[in-house]
Amino acid sequence: MACGPSPTPGGFSVTPTEPAAAVRPPLPVKMVIAGGFGVGKTTAVGSISEIEPLTTEAAITEVAAGVDDLTHTPSKTTTTVAMDFGCITIDPTLKLYLFGTPGQERFGFMWDDLVEGAVGGLVIVDTRRLDDCYAAVDYFEHKGIPFAVAVNAFDGKVEHEIDDVRWALDVSDGVPVVVFDARERGSVRDALLIVLEQALARTEA
């Protein structure tokens, strides 16, 4: 029997309508932010995260200060000992979950767990001490994970030209090397989008 308008107690009729289409939640995507000690990883996560970022900061003790080079970051009083975590919704279909790694090599045993399932990585570099980021670059290359290099513009400037940084890091032409400011939300967003483009290109290859 055909369905027509349904009578209501007030004498009005209600015509059945199609149920509203279910709104799908954005696709969760994991990305890692890596680099040496004090290069701006925690700052980058905090700048872009739409939630209060989770940090595992510990005070730098006299013992740690003797191990970690504070020459270029004399005001730094804490350091990440496990990870930083934040998230950002790129658009209604995509949400990035950001995991920042600890910078010191002595915490390297945690990297495999933090990187598992990540579509790509952003390696943050301080051009005043490029040696500190070699381990992160080598790690992503060895794992075959798409990544980009983001040179943090401390005090609004970098010490070396992009081509010189690429040469010093010995990364392939397929690895983007860009300048960004870890304190600026839009700058961090643009750097993360470059990593997403790298990951997408890898899946389409």
Side-chain angles (χ1 to χ4, degrees):
M1 183 174 65
C3 285
S6 302
T8 63
F12 299 100
S13 61
V14 178
T15 302
T17 59
E18 293 294 326
V23 178
R24 293 183 179 180
L27 178 69
V29 174
K30 181 179 182 180
M31 188 176 294
V32 174
I33 297 180
F37 170 75
V39 297
K41 300 181 298 295
T42 299
T43 300
V45 173
S47 296
I48 192 71
S49 180
E50 64 192 18
I51 63 170
E52 185 69 25
L54 167 67
T55 61
T56 53
E57 295 278 287
I60 298 176
T61 64
E62 291 185 6
V63 174
V67 176
D68 301 322
D69 184 6
L70 299 175
T71 303
H72 297 288
T73 55
S75 61
K76 187 173 178 60
T77 59
T78 62
T79 184
T80 300
V81 295
M83 69 171 186
D84 298 313
F85 173 78
C87 63
I88 177 67
T89 302
I90 299 298
D91 61 35
T93 66
L94 186 65
K95 187 168 188 174
L96 281 184
Y97 289 88
L98 307 173
F99 291 78
T101 67
Q104 300 93 322
E105 289 190 23
R106 62 182 179 275
F107 297 122
F109 65 91
M110 303 179 61
W111 277 50
D112 285 343
D113 290 334
L114 289 176
V115 172
E116 184 176 1
V119 299
L122 183 69
V123 178
I124 301 179
V125 170
D126 181 351
T127 56
R128 299 170 299 182
R129 44 199 174 96
L130 285 174
D131 290 356
D132 290 353
C133 74
Y134 289 154
V137 170
D138 289 345
Y139 184 89
F140 285 112
E141 288 183 335
H142 177 71
K143 291 290 186 178
I145 298 173
F147 72 99
V149 173
V151 179
N152 197 2
F154 285 90
D155 300 322
K157 62 182 181 179
V158 294
E159 298 293 326
H160 303 283
E161 298 293 331
I162 287 295
D163 289 343
D164 294 334
V165 173
R166 179 183 294 280
W167 178 85
L169 297 180
D170 193 27
V171 293
S172 68
D173 292 339
V175 175
V177 180
V178 300
V179 175
F180 90 133
D181 189 331
R183 301 166 300 179
E184 297 292 333
R185 180 182 178 87
S187 187
V188 177
R189 177 204 60 208
D190 292 345
L192 295 176
L193 289 177
I194 289 173
V195 179
L196 278 178
E197 290 174 358
Q198 290 294 101
L200 181 60
R202 179 74 63 88
T203 62
E204 294 177 344

